[in-house]
Amino acid sequence: MPSTPTLALIAIGLIVLVAITVRVIRSLRRFARTRTLVGDRVGDRVGLLKARTAALKVAVAQRRRPVQARTRANPAYDRRGGGDRRITHG
């Protein structure tokens, strides 16, 4: 039969173990919330970066087209007169 000091040490050990377990669980919950928040923010910033990249690609593509093709004065691209009038070879 164990003596009283041994039972007291076991009880104290169990109390300390429970206290440590509670603290670890709280920390893990806090970490999970922070991880979710950071993931959402990173996702938002990645989305904004993709949108900016797409806008930049459109702007670069527009700048590369000749000025004549971009204006409505070009009769080959004037669709008001009933369709596309570009000359095709074929």
Side-chain angles (χ1 to χ4, degrees):
M1 185 164 183
S3 62
T4 306
T6 305
L7 290 175
L9 284 175
I10 291 173
I12 291 172
L14 287 175
I15 291 171
V16 170
L17 181 65
V18 168
I20 291 173
T21 303
V22 168
R23 285 183 155 222
V24 167
I25 289 172
R26 284 184 188 163
S27 295
L28 288 175
R29 285 182 183 164
R30 221 178 358 231
F31 176 75
R33 276 189 302 229
T34 303
R35 185 186 65 210
T36 301
L37 180 65
V38 169
D40 291 345
R41 286 188 180 176
V42 168
D44 290 345
R45 295 206 179 213
V46 167
L48 287 173
L49 185 60
K50 286 182 180 180
R52 288 179 182 170
T53 303
L56 185 60
K57 286 180 182 179
V58 169
V60 168
Q62 286 178 347
R63 295 289 294 169
R64 285 188 178 174
R65 274 197 279 162
V67 175
Q68 183 182 10
R70 285 187 272 150
T71 63
R72 292 184 68 89
N74 183 357
Y77 286 88
D78 188 7
R79 294 180 183 260
R80 290 176 292 173
D84 191 0
R85 295 186 192 152
R86 285 180 278 187
I87 299 172
T88 59
H89 302 284

